[in-house]
PDB file of all heavy atoms in Angstrom:
ATOM      1  N   LEU A  12      -3.492  31.783  10.932  1.00 98.00           N
ATOM      2  CA  LEU A  12      -4.330  32.212  12.023  1.00 98.00           C
ATOM      3  C   LEU A  12      -5.589  32.880  11.453  1.00 98.00           C
ATOM      4  O   LEU A  12      -5.503  33.690  10.534  1.00 98.00           O
ATOM      5  CB  LEU A  12      -3.549  33.201  12.914  1.00 98.00           C
ATOM      6  CG  LEU A  12      -4.175  33.563  14.242  1.00 98.00           C
ATOM      7  CD1 LEU A  12      -4.151  32.341  15.170  1.00 98.00           C
ATOM      8  CD2 LEU A  12      -3.415  34.719  14.867  1.00 98.00           C
ATOM      9  N   GLN A  13      -6.722  32.510  11.997  1.00 97.00           N
ATOM     10  CA  GLN A  13      -7.993  33.120  11.609  1.00 97.00           C
ATOM     11  C   GLN A  13      -8.005  34.573  12.109  1.00 97.00           C
ATOM     12  O   GLN A  13      -7.481  34.858  13.188  1.00 97.00           O
ATOM     13  CB  GLN A  13      -9.106  32.323  12.255  1.00 97.00           C
ATOM     14  CG  GLN A  13     -10.482  32.525  11.749  1.00 97.00           C
ATOM     15  CD  GLN A  13     -10.727  31.945  10.377  1.00 97.00           C
ATOM     16  OE1 GLN A  13     -10.480  32.635   9.397  1.00 97.00           O
ATOM     17  NE2 GLN A  13     -11.234  30.747  10.301  1.00 97.00           N
ATOM     18  N   GLU A  14      -8.538  35.486  11.316  1.00 96.00           N
ATOM     19  CA  GLU A  14      -8.608  36.885  11.744  1.00 96.00           C
ATOM     20  C   GLU A  14      -9.293  36.983  13.095  1.00 96.00           C
ATOM     21  O   GLU A  14     -10.372  36.428  13.313  1.00 96.00           O
ATOM     22  CB  GLU A  14      -9.339  37.714  10.702  1.00 96.00           C
ATOM     23  CG  GLU A  14      -9.289  39.204  10.967  1.00 96.00           C
ATOM     24  CD  GLU A  14      -9.930  40.032   9.863  1.00 96.00           C
ATOM     25  OE1 GLU A  14      -9.916  39.595   8.713  1.00 96.00           O
ATOM     26  OE2 GLU A  14     -10.412  41.119  10.212  1.00 96.00           O
ATOM     27  N   GLY A  15      -8.654  37.708  14.013  1.00 96.00           N
ATOM     28  CA  GLY A  15      -9.221  37.908  15.342  1.00 96.00           C
ATOM     29  C   GLY A  15      -8.911  36.788  16.343  1.00 96.00           C
ATOM     30  O   GLY A  15      -9.219  36.938  17.523  1.00 96.00           O
ATOM     31  N   ALA A  16      -8.288  35.704  15.885  1.00 97.00           N
ATOM     32  CA  ALA A  16      -7.957  34.589  16.792  1.00 97.00           C
ATOM     33  C   ALA A  16      -6.696  34.912  17.573  1.00 97.00           C
ATOM     34  O   ALA A  16      -5.834  35.685  17.130  1.00 97.00           O
ATOM     35  CB  ALA A  16      -7.797  33.314  16.001  1.00 97.00           C
ATOM     36  N   ASP A  17      -6.580  34.317  18.726  1.00 97.00           N
ATOM     37  CA  ASP A  17      -5.417  34.502  19.588  1.00 97.00           C
ATOM     38  C   ASP A  17      -4.303  33.543  19.186  1.00 97.00           C
ATOM     39  O   ASP A  17      -4.506  32.317  19.162  1.00 97.00           O
ATOM     40  CB  ASP A  17      -5.810  34.287  21.049  1.00 97.00           C
ATOM     41  CG  ASP A  17      -4.664  34.502  22.000  1.00 97.00           C
ATOM     42  OD1 ASP A  17      -4.368  35.694  22.286  1.00 97.00           O
ATOM     43  OD2 ASP A  17      -4.057  33.514  22.430  1.00 97.00           O
ATOM     44  N   LEU A  18      -3.119  34.079  18.901  1.00 98.00           N
ATOM     45  CA  LEU A  18      -2.006  33.253  18.443  1.00 98.00           C
ATOM     46  C   LEU A  18      -1.589  32.219  19.502  1.00 98.00           C
ATOM     47  O   LEU A  18      -1.335  31.058  19.168  1.00 98.00           O
ATOM     48  CB  LEU A  18      -0.814  34.122  18.048  1.00 98.00           C
ATOM     49  CG  LEU A  18       0.420  33.389  17.564  1.00 98.00           C
ATOM     50  CD1 LEU A  18       0.113  32.524  16.341  1.00 98.00           C
ATOM     51  CD2 LEU A  18       1.551  34.361  17.257  1.00 98.00           C
ATOM     52  N   GLN A  19      -1.512  32.624  20.753  1.00 98.00           N
ATOM     53  CA  GLN A  19      -1.092  31.669  21.794  1.00 98.00           C
ATOM     54  C   GLN A  19      -2.086  30.526  21.957  1.00 98.00           C
ATOM     55  O   GLN A  19      -1.676  29.381  22.146  1.00 98.00           O
ATOM     56  CB  GLN A  19      -0.899  32.390  23.129  1.00 98.00           C
ATOM     57  CG  GLN A  19       0.346  33.258  23.134  1.00 98.00           C
ATOM     58  CD  GLN A  19       0.573  33.937  24.463  1.00 98.00           C
ATOM     59  OE1 GLN A  19      -0.379  34.144  25.254  1.00 98.00           O
ATOM     60  NE2 GLN A  19       1.806  34.291  24.740  1.00 98.00           N
ATOM     61  N   GLN A  20      -3.358  30.799  21.814  1.00 98.00           N
ATOM     62  CA  GLN A  20      -4.359  29.725  21.875  1.00 98.00           C
ATOM     63  C   GLN A  20      -4.204  28.808  20.693  1.00 98.00           C
ATOM     64  O   GLN A  20      -4.318  27.571  20.851  1.00 98.00           O
ATOM     65  CB  GLN A  20      -5.769  30.333  21.889  1.00 98.00           C
ATOM     66  CG  GLN A  20      -6.147  30.972  23.180  1.00 98.00           C
ATOM     67  CD  GLN A  20      -7.579  31.526  23.151  1.00 98.00           C
ATOM     68  OE1 GLN A  20      -8.340  31.266  22.236  1.00 98.00           O
ATOM     69  NE2 GLN A  20      -7.916  32.325  24.146  1.00 98.00           N
ATOM     70  N   ALA A  21      -3.942  29.363  19.518  1.00 98.00           N
ATOM     71  CA  ALA A  21      -3.761  28.530  18.324  1.00 98.00           C
ATOM     72  C   ALA A  21      -2.524  27.645  18.475  1.00 98.00           C
ATOM     73  O   ALA A  21      -2.565  26.451  18.169  1.00 98.00           O
ATOM     74  CB  ALA A  21      -3.632  29.404  17.066  1.00 98.00           C
ATOM     75  N   GLU A  22      -1.432  28.237  18.953  1.00 98.00           N
ATOM     76  CA  GLU A  22      -0.203  27.438  19.143  1.00 98.00           C
ATOM     77  C   GLU A  22      -0.454  26.289  20.105  1.00 98.00           C
ATOM     78  O   GLU A  22      -0.034  25.142  19.836  1.00 98.00           O
ATOM     79  CB  GLU A  22       0.928  28.334  19.665  1.00 98.00           C
ATOM     80  CG  GLU A  22       1.431  29.333  18.652  1.00 98.00           C
ATOM     81  CD  GLU A  22       2.370  30.374  19.243  1.00 98.00           C
ATOM     82  OE1 GLU A  22       2.383  30.580  20.486  1.00 98.00           O
ATOM     83  OE2 GLU A  22       3.085  30.997  18.461  1.00 98.00           O
ATOM     84  N   HIS A  23      -1.107  26.577  21.211  1.00 98.00           N
ATOM     85  CA  HIS A  23      -1.397  25.532  22.193  1.00 98.00           C
ATOM     86  C   HIS A  23      -2.314  24.460  21.574  1.00 98.00           C
ATOM     87  O   HIS A  23      -2.079  23.249  21.740  1.00 98.00           O
ATOM     88  CB  HIS A  23      -2.070  26.140  23.435  1.00 98.00           C
ATOM     89  CG  HIS A  23      -2.453  25.103  24.457  1.00 98.00           C
ATOM     90  ND1 HIS A  23      -1.545  24.472  25.264  1.00 98.00           N
ATOM     91  CD2 HIS A  23      -3.658  24.595  24.761  1.00 98.00           C
ATOM     92  CE1 HIS A  23      -2.178  23.606  26.023  1.00 98.00           C
ATOM     93  NE2 HIS A  23      -3.465  23.672  25.737  1.00 98.00           N
ATOM     94  N   GLY A  24      -3.360  24.901  20.879  1.00 98.00           N
ATOM     95  CA  GLY A  24      -4.280  23.961  20.247  1.00 98.00           C
ATOM     96  C   GLY A  24      -3.605  23.088  19.207  1.00 98.00           C
ATOM     97  O   GLY A  24      -3.871  21.882  19.120  1.00 98.00           O
ATOM     98  N   LEU A  25      -2.703  23.666  18.433  1.00 98.00           N
ATOM     99  CA  LEU A  25      -1.990  22.904  17.415  1.00 98.00           C
ATOM    100  C   LEU A  25      -1.045  21.877  18.055  1.00 98.00           C
ATOM    101  O   LEU A  25      -0.940  20.740  17.572  1.00 98.00           O
ATOM    102  CB  LEU A  25      -1.224  23.822  16.476  1.00 98.00           C
ATOM    103  CG  LEU A  25      -2.089  24.679  15.532  1.00 98.00           C
ATOM    104  CD1 LEU A  25      -1.267  25.741  14.839  1.00 98.00           C
ATOM    105  CD2 LEU A  25      -2.836  23.804  14.514  1.00 98.00           C
ATOM    106  N   ARG A  26      -0.391  22.262  19.132  1.00 98.00           N
ATOM    107  CA  ARG A  26       0.476  21.294  19.845  1.00 98.00           C
ATOM    108  C   ARG A  26      -0.350  20.120  20.347  1.00 98.00           C
ATOM    109  O   ARG A  26       0.078  18.959  20.237  1.00 98.00           O
ATOM    110  CB  ARG A  26       1.201  21.980  21.032  1.00 98.00           C
ATOM    111  CG  ARG A  26       2.364  22.818  20.613  1.00 98.00           C
ATOM    112  CD  ARG A  26       3.150  23.270  21.848  1.00 98.00           C
ATOM    113  NE  ARG A  26       3.881  24.487  21.530  1.00 98.00           N
ATOM    114  CZ  ARG A  26       3.500  25.722  21.831  1.00 98.00           C
ATOM    115  NH1 ARG A  26       2.384  25.930  22.493  1.00 98.00           N
ATOM    116  NH2 ARG A  26       4.241  26.759  21.468  1.00 98.00           N
ATOM    117  N   GLU A  27      -1.504  20.399  20.916  1.00 98.00           N
ATOM    118  CA  GLU A  27      -2.374  19.331  21.405  1.00 98.00           C
ATOM    119  C   GLU A  27      -2.851  18.448  20.265  1.00 98.00           C
ATOM    120  O   GLU A  27      -2.905  17.227  20.391  1.00 98.00           O
ATOM    121  CB  GLU A  27      -3.573  19.925  22.155  1.00 98.00           C
ATOM    122  CG  GLU A  27      -3.232  20.570  23.455  1.00 98.00           C
ATOM    123  CD  GLU A  27      -2.832  19.538  24.493  1.00 98.00           C
ATOM    124  OE1 GLU A  27      -3.538  18.518  24.629  1.00 98.00           O
ATOM    125  OE2 GLU A  27      -1.801  19.776  25.191  1.00 98.00           O
ATOM    126  N   LEU A  28      -3.210  19.074  19.156  1.00 98.00           N
ATOM    127  CA  LEU A  28      -3.640  18.309  17.985  1.00 98.00           C
ATOM    128  C   LEU A  28      -2.560  17.366  17.517  1.00 98.00           C
ATOM    129  O   LEU A  28      -2.847  16.189  17.203  1.00 98.00           O
ATOM    130  CB  LEU A  28      -4.047  19.291  16.862  1.00 98.00           C
ATOM    131  CG  LEU A  28      -4.590  18.643  15.601  1.00 98.00           C
ATOM    132  CD1 LEU A  28      -5.906  17.918  15.857  1.00 98.00           C
ATOM    133  CD2 LEU A  28      -4.806  19.718  14.506  1.00 98.00           C
ATOM    134  N   VAL A  29      -1.330  17.824  17.487  1.00 98.00           N
ATOM    135  CA  VAL A  29      -0.207  16.965  17.078  1.00 98.00           C
ATOM    136  C   VAL A  29      -0.082  15.779  18.033  1.00 98.00           C
ATOM    137  O   VAL A  29       0.020  14.619  17.565  1.00 98.00           O
ATOM    138  CB  VAL A  29       1.117  17.757  17.024  1.00 98.00           C
ATOM    139  CG1 VAL A  29       2.323  16.827  16.897  1.00 98.00           C
ATOM    140  CG2 VAL A  29       1.103  18.764  15.889  1.00 98.00           C
ATOM    141  N   LEU A  30      -0.101  16.013  19.317  1.00 98.00           N
ATOM    142  CA  LEU A  30       0.040  14.931  20.294  1.00 98.00           C
ATOM    143  C   LEU A  30      -1.019  13.856  20.114  1.00 98.00           C
ATOM    144  O   LEU A  30      -0.722  12.662  20.138  1.00 98.00           O
ATOM    145  CB  LEU A  30      -0.040  15.490  21.719  1.00 98.00           C
ATOM    146  CG  LEU A  30       1.153  16.311  22.166  1.00 98.00           C
ATOM    147  CD1 LEU A  30       0.889  16.936  23.557  1.00 98.00           C
ATOM    148  CD2 LEU A  30       2.416  15.478  22.226  1.00 98.00           C
ATOM    149  N   HIS A  31      -2.257  14.258  19.939  1.00 98.00           N
ATOM    150  CA  HIS A  31      -3.352  13.281  19.801  1.00 98.00           C
ATOM    151  C   HIS A  31      -3.329  12.613  18.429  1.00 98.00           C
ATOM    152  O   HIS A  31      -3.566  11.423  18.326  1.00 98.00           O
ATOM    153  CB  HIS A  31      -4.698  13.963  20.017  1.00 98.00           C
ATOM    154  CG  HIS A  31      -4.902  14.391  21.433  1.00 98.00           C
ATOM    155  ND1 HIS A  31      -5.046  13.522  22.493  1.00 98.00           N
ATOM    156  CD2 HIS A  31      -4.955  15.630  21.982  1.00 98.00           C
ATOM    157  CE1 HIS A  31      -5.189  14.181  23.607  1.00 98.00           C
ATOM    158  NE2 HIS A  31      -5.149  15.474  23.337  1.00 98.00           N
ATOM    159  N   THR A  32      -3.060  13.384  17.392  1.00 98.00           N
ATOM    160  CA  THR A  32      -3.110  12.841  16.022  1.00 98.00           C
ATOM    161  C   THR A  32      -2.052  11.773  15.821  1.00 98.00           C
ATOM    162  O   THR A  32      -2.298  10.752  15.164  1.00 98.00           O
ATOM    163  CB  THR A  32      -2.956  13.966  14.991  1.00 98.00           C
ATOM    164  OG1 THR A  32      -4.028  14.897  15.187  1.00 98.00           O
ATOM    165  CG2 THR A  32      -3.012  13.431  13.585  1.00 98.00           C
ATOM    166  N   ARG A  33      -0.884  11.960  16.390  1.00 98.00           N
ATOM    167  CA  ARG A  33       0.194  10.967  16.231  1.00 98.00           C
ATOM    168  C   ARG A  33      -0.173   9.604  16.804  1.00 98.00           C
ATOM    169  O   ARG A  33       0.447   8.612  16.452  1.00 98.00           O
ATOM    170  CB  ARG A  33       1.465  11.485  16.890  1.00 98.00           C
ATOM    171  CG  ARG A  33       2.123  12.599  16.125  1.00 98.00           C
ATOM    172  CD  ARG A  33       3.361  13.063  16.813  1.00 98.00           C
ATOM    173  NE  ARG A  33       4.054  14.089  16.019  1.00 98.00           N
ATOM    174  CZ  ARG A  33       5.014  14.839  16.480  1.00 98.00           C
ATOM    175  NH1 ARG A  33       5.451  14.697  17.741  1.00 98.00           N
ATOM    176  NH2 ARG A  33       5.571  15.739  15.718  1.00 98.00           N
ATOM    177  N   GLN A  34      -1.171   9.559  17.651  1.00 98.00           N
ATOM    178  CA  GLN A  34      -1.617   8.292  18.260  1.00 98.00           C
ATOM    179  C   GLN A  34      -2.694   7.586  17.434  1.00 98.00           C
ATOM    180  O   GLN A  34      -3.084   6.466  17.728  1.00 98.00           O
ATOM    181  CB  GLN A  34      -2.154   8.540  19.670  1.00 98.00           C
ATOM    182  CG  GLN A  34      -1.163   9.242  20.588  1.00 98.00           C
ATOM    183  CD  GLN A  34       0.149   8.500  20.708  1.00 98.00           C
ATOM    184  OE1 GLN A  34       0.176   7.290  20.917  1.00 98.00           O
ATOM    185  NE2 GLN A  34       1.261   9.227  20.555  1.00 98.00           N
ATOM    186  N   GLU A  35      -3.191   8.256  16.383  1.00 98.00           N
ATOM    187  CA  GLU A  35      -4.288   7.697  15.584  1.00 98.00           C
ATOM    188  C   GLU A  35      -3.829   6.506  14.750  1.00 98.00           C
ATOM    189  O   GLU A  35      -2.718   6.511  14.223  1.00 98.00           O
ATOM    190  CB  GLU A  35      -4.866   8.762  14.659  1.00 98.00           C
ATOM    191  CG  GLU A  35      -5.582   9.877  15.345  1.00 98.00           C
ATOM    192  CD  GLU A  35      -6.118  10.888  14.359  1.00 98.00           C
ATOM    193  OE1 GLU A  35      -6.465  10.528  13.230  1.00 98.00           O
ATOM    194  OE2 GLU A  35      -6.184  12.087  14.740  1.00 98.00           O
ATOM    195  N   PRO A  36      -4.729   5.547  14.563  1.00 96.00           N
ATOM    196  CA  PRO A  36      -4.428   4.474  13.618  1.00 96.00           C
ATOM    197  C   PRO A  36      -4.227   5.056  12.233  1.00 96.00           C
ATOM    198  O   PRO A  36      -4.957   5.945  11.814  1.00 96.00           O
ATOM    199  CB  PRO A  36      -5.694   3.586  13.652  1.00 96.00           C
ATOM    200  CG  PRO A  36      -6.451   4.014  14.875  1.00 96.00           C
ATOM    201  CD  PRO A  36      -6.036   5.423  15.178  1.00 96.00           C
ATOM    202  N   GLY A  37      -3.231   4.589  11.545  1.00 97.00           N
ATOM    203  CA  GLY A  37      -2.987   5.037  10.174  1.00 97.00           C
ATOM    204  C   GLY A  37      -2.131   6.274  10.048  1.00 97.00           C
ATOM    205  O   GLY A  37      -1.737   6.656   8.938  1.00 97.00           O
ATOM    206  N   CYS A  38      -1.799   6.923  11.173  1.00 98.00           N
ATOM    207  CA  CYS A  38      -0.954   8.101  11.124  1.00 98.00           C
ATOM    208  C   CYS A  38       0.508   7.679  11.171  1.00 98.00           C
ATOM    209  O   CYS A  38       0.962   7.074  12.136  1.00 98.00           O
ATOM    210  CB  CYS A  38      -1.245   9.049  12.278  1.00 98.00           C
ATOM    211  SG  CYS A  38      -0.210  10.522  12.275  1.00 98.00           S
ATOM    212  N   ARG A  39       1.244   7.991  10.111  1.00 97.00           N
ATOM    213  CA  ARG A  39       2.671   7.676  10.075  1.00 97.00           C
ATOM    214  C   ARG A  39       3.507   8.886  10.447  1.00 97.00           C
ATOM    215  O   ARG A  39       4.619   8.761  10.953  1.00 97.00           O
ATOM    216  CB  ARG A  39       3.056   7.211   8.678  1.00 97.00           C
ATOM    217  CG  ARG A  39       2.458   5.872   8.319  1.00 97.00           C
ATOM    218  CD  ARG A  39       3.014   5.417   7.004  1.00 97.00           C
ATOM    219  NE  ARG A  39       2.623   4.046   6.750  1.00 97.00           N
ATOM    220  CZ  ARG A  39       3.010   3.385   5.700  1.00 97.00           C
ATOM    221  NH1 ARG A  39       3.792   3.957   4.789  1.00 97.00           N
ATOM    222  NH2 ARG A  39       2.609   2.164   5.510  1.00 97.00           N
ATOM    223  N   MET A  40       3.007  10.089  10.154  1.00 98.00           N
ATOM    224  CA  MET A  40       3.715  11.309  10.491  1.00 98.00           C
ATOM    225  C   MET A  40       2.689  12.433  10.547  1.00 98.00           C
ATOM    226  O   MET A  40       1.781  12.508   9.715  1.00 98.00           O
ATOM    227  CB  MET A  40       4.763  11.641   9.429  1.00 98.00           C
ATOM    228  CG  MET A  40       5.516  12.948   9.689  1.00 98.00           C
ATOM    229  SD  MET A  40       6.669  13.401   8.388  1.00 98.00           S
ATOM    230  CE  MET A  40       5.553  13.835   7.059  1.00 98.00           C
ATOM    231  N   PHE A  41       2.846  13.321  11.530  1.00 98.00           N
ATOM    232  CA  PHE A  41       2.000  14.507  11.620  1.00 98.00           C
ATOM    233  C   PHE A  41       2.833  15.590  12.280  1.00 98.00           C
ATOM    234  O   PHE A  41       3.109  15.546  13.475  1.00 98.00           O
ATOM    235  CB  PHE A  41       0.731  14.212  12.426  1.00 98.00           C
ATOM    236  CG  PHE A  41      -0.307  15.286  12.340  1.00 98.00           C
ATOM    237  CD1 PHE A  41      -1.202  15.314  11.272  1.00 98.00           C
ATOM    238  CD2 PHE A  41      -0.405  16.271  13.295  1.00 98.00           C
ATOM    239  CE1 PHE A  41      -2.169  16.310  11.188  1.00 98.00           C
ATOM    240  CE2 PHE A  41      -1.366  17.277  13.218  1.00 98.00           C
ATOM    241  CZ  PHE A  41      -2.250  17.286  12.144  1.00 98.00           C
ATOM    242  N   GLU A  42       3.308  16.541  11.493  1.00 98.00           N
ATOM    243  CA  GLU A  42       4.148  17.625  11.976  1.00 98.00           C
ATOM    244  C   GLU A  42       3.507  18.955  11.617  1.00 98.00           C
ATOM    245  O   GLU A  42       2.950  19.091  10.533  1.00 98.00           O
ATOM    246  CB  GLU A  42       5.522  17.569  11.282  1.00 98.00           C
ATOM    247  CG  GLU A  42       6.352  16.370  11.562  1.00 98.00           C
ATOM    248  CD  GLU A  42       7.051  16.417  12.896  1.00 98.00           C
ATOM    249  OE1 GLU A  42       7.307  17.543  13.385  1.00 98.00           O
ATOM    250  OE2 GLU A  42       7.324  15.359  13.453  1.00 98.00           O
ATOM    251  N   ILE A  43       3.598  19.898  12.523  1.00 98.00           N
ATOM    252  CA  ILE A  43       3.150  21.260  12.246  1.00 98.00           C
ATOM    253  C   ILE A  43       4.325  22.176  12.585  1.00 98.00           C
ATOM    254  O   ILE A  43       4.861  22.124  13.709  1.00 98.00           O
ATOM    255  CB  ILE A  43       1.914  21.648  13.047  1.00 98.00           C
ATOM    256  CG1 ILE A  43       0.754  20.706  12.730  1.00 98.00           C
ATOM    257  CG2 ILE A  43       1.531  23.104  12.734  1.00 98.00           C
ATOM    258  CD1 ILE A  43      -0.516  20.990  13.530  1.00 98.00           C
ATOM    259  N   ARG A  44       4.708  23.004  11.624  1.00 98.00           N
ATOM    260  CA  ARG A  44       5.814  23.938  11.828  1.00 98.00           C
ATOM    261  C   ARG A  44       5.308  25.358  11.635  1.00 98.00           C
ATOM    262  O   ARG A  44       4.473  25.620  10.788  1.00 98.00           O
ATOM    263  CB  ARG A  44       6.934  23.659  10.815  1.00 98.00           C
ATOM    264  CG  ARG A  44       7.524  22.285  10.930  1.00 98.00           C
ATOM    265  CD  ARG A  44       8.239  22.104  12.218  1.00 98.00           C
ATOM    266  NE  ARG A  44       8.689  20.728  12.357  1.00 98.00           N
ATOM    267  CZ  ARG A  44       9.237  20.272  13.444  1.00 98.00           C
ATOM    268  NH1 ARG A  44       9.390  21.049  14.478  1.00 98.00           N
ATOM    269  NH2 ARG A  44       9.618  19.020  13.502  1.00 98.00           N
ATOM    270  N   GLN A  45       5.870  26.255  12.443  1.00 98.00           N
ATOM    271  CA  GLN A  45       5.477  27.663  12.412  1.00 98.00           C
ATOM    272  C   GLN A  45       6.451  28.423  11.531  1.00 98.00           C
ATOM    273  O   GLN A  45       7.673  28.242  11.607  1.00 98.00           O
ATOM    274  CB  GLN A  45       5.487  28.226  13.834  1.00 98.00           C
ATOM    275  CG  GLN A  45       4.803  29.553  13.987  1.00 98.00           C
ATOM    276  CD  GLN A  45       4.578  29.870  15.457  1.00 98.00           C
ATOM    277  OE1 GLN A  45       5.254  29.350  16.335  1.00 98.00           O
ATOM    278  NE2 GLN A  45       3.595  30.719  15.710  1.00 98.00           N
ATOM    279  N   ASN A  46       5.921  29.331  10.721  1.00 98.00           N
ATOM    280  CA  ASN A  46       6.719  30.143   9.825  1.00 98.00           C
ATOM    281  C   ASN A  46       7.541  31.130  10.649  1.00 98.00           C
ATOM    282  O   ASN A  46       7.001  31.831  11.514  1.00 98.00           O
ATOM    283  CB  ASN A  46       5.792  30.897   8.858  1.00 98.00           C
ATOM    284  CG  ASN A  46       6.532  31.666   7.814  1.00 98.00           C
ATOM    285  OD1 ASN A  46       7.246  32.611   8.128  1.00 98.00           O
ATOM    286  ND2 ASN A  46       6.319  31.296   6.568  1.00 98.00           N
ATOM    287  N   LEU A  47       8.853  31.172  10.408  1.00 98.00           N
ATOM    288  CA  LEU A  47       9.735  32.031  11.189  1.00 98.00           C
ATOM    289  C   LEU A  47       9.579  33.517  10.860  1.00 98.00           C
ATOM    290  O   LEU A  47       9.865  34.374  11.690  1.00 98.00           O
ATOM    291  CB  LEU A  47      11.200  31.607  11.019  1.00 98.00           C
ATOM    292  CG  LEU A  47      11.533  30.206  11.557  1.00 98.00           C
ATOM    293  CD1 LEU A  47      12.967  29.831  11.221  1.00 98.00           C
ATOM    294  CD2 LEU A  47      11.296  30.129  13.056  1.00 98.00           C
TER     295      LEU A  47
END
Side-chain angles (χ1 to χ4, degrees):
L12 192 68
Q13 195 72 273
E14 188 174 331
D17 182 78
L18 179 59
Q19 289 182 336
Q20 287 181 11
E22 290 170 341
H23 178 75
L25 291 169
R26 282 189 204 98
E27 290 290 315
L28 183 64
V29 168
L30 289 174
H31 292 292
T32 300
R33 287 180 176 167
Q34 304 305 312
E35 291 180 31
C38 179
R39 293 186 171 182
M40 179 184 70
F41 192 84
E42 296 281 334
I43 301 177
R44 299 294 174 186
Q45 194 167 23
N46 186 297
L47 295 175

